[in-house]
Amino acid sequence: MEFEIVIKNRRSVRLFEEREISDEVLLKMVEHASLAPSPGNLQPWEFIIVKNRDLIEKIVSTTYSGNVKTSSPQTWIKSASAVIVVCYIPRPVSARYGDEGRVPGLLGLGAAIENLLLSAVNMGLGACWVSGFRSDELSKVLGLPKGSEPISIIPVGYPKEIPEAPPKLPVDQITTFIK
Ligand SMILES: Cc1cc2nc3c(=O)[nH]c(=O)nc-3n(C[C@H](O)[C@H](O)[C@H](O)COP(=O)(O)O)c2cc1C
């Protein structure tokens, strides 16, 4: 798909068809994520692809809606065919850059996640970036080791409903040109 179309067609998709996604397609998404920039090219990330329905239910139980950590879970995630949990591996970053490295390290994860989302669009899939979850609970559900922090949940599937394009700020309003 043409880049301009991919980037303009990306939406936060929250309703999916009941249709399996092949492992190859999910691995292709991770391959695209792995090409993202990261500080010192340290690639401080791990992608956990979950297709198991029971585990997806447990992951959903760690989520919350809005800003309140005790509010109701984001049950719409259950319609996803797979869930990719993106984890931060802080050790290589802190070893090289100390505490200063954390923000750049997490920015690298953001870049990788955007690649995941665009890759999904390119293959006819939909996805959504989810950060409303209780991190400690999600770590327990996934049995993550101490050196791995879940940063985002990306539910993926074939879209059942593609939302209208939400309004974005005009380019001239968010740009300062210094010539
Ligand atoms: C870091 C981050 C966290 C987000 N967390 C959630 C979330 O927990 N649940 C959700 O439904 N959407 C979440 N979103 C999606 C936003 O709501 C969405 O990107 C925004 O409304 C703009 O819509 P668009 O993605 O279709 O352009 C998140 C987006 C970002 C970038």
Side-chain angles (χ1 to χ4, degrees):
M1 208 185 270
E2 202 187 311
F3 179 71
E4 185 81 3
I5 296 174
V6 170
I7 205 154
K8 287 192 169 157
N9 280 359
R10 188 207 57 79
R11 299 279 180 284
S12 287
V13 175
R14 299 183 180 88
L15 192 60
F16 305 96
E17 285 177 5
E18 210 173 299
R19 180 174 158 196
E20 208 200 317
I21 308 174
S22 72
D23 292 355
E24 290 71 26
V25 164
L26 290 162
L27 287 170
K28 181 54 83 177
M29 284 177 66
V30 174
E31 182 193 331
H32 290 156
S34 77
L35 299 174
S38 61
N41 197 32
L42 290 171
Q43 305 160 67
W45 46 52
E46 185 185 2
F47 302 87
I48 300 174
I49 302 173
V50 183
K51 285 179 142 180
N52 180 283
R53 299 316 310 174
D54 293 338
L55 192 52
I56 289 176
E57 290 258 348
K58 286 183 186 149
I59 290 170
V60 170
S61 74
T62 73
T63 65
Y64 57 89
S65 313
N67 290 331
V68 183
K69 289 199 170 189
T70 49
S71 65
S72 53
Q74 300 193 46
T75 48
W76 61 266
I77 296 171
K78 288 183 195 173
S79 79
S81 306
V83 161
I84 304 176
V85 180
V86 184
C87 299
Y88 181 51
I89 313 294
R91 210 159 77 95
V93 180
S94 58
R96 190 176 303 179
Y97 302 112
D99 292 347
E100 293 290 305
R102 185 168 173 86
V103 170
L106 289 172
L107 289 171
L109 258 74
I113 291 167
E114 179 68 359
N115 276 12
L116 271 184
L117 300 180
L118 295 178
S119 177
V121 176
N122 190 48
M123 294 187 289
L125 294 161
C128 185
W129 190 329
V130 171
S131 64
F133 60 88
R134 293 175 291 275
S135 185
D136 289 355
E137 262 179 53
L138 181 56
S139 294
K140 261 187 216 143
V141 159
L142 293 172
L144 293 180
K146 226 177 157 221
S148 179
E149 301 173 25
I151 297 300
S152 294
I153 296 172
I154 313 295
V156 194
Y158 290 94
K160 195 165 189 179
E161 189 181 278
I162 299 180
E164 287 284 301
K168 302 290 181 182
L169 296 171
V171 173
D172 62 358
Q173 200 178 309
I174 57 170
T175 310
T176 304
F177 246 126
I178 303 177
K179 292 185 176 174

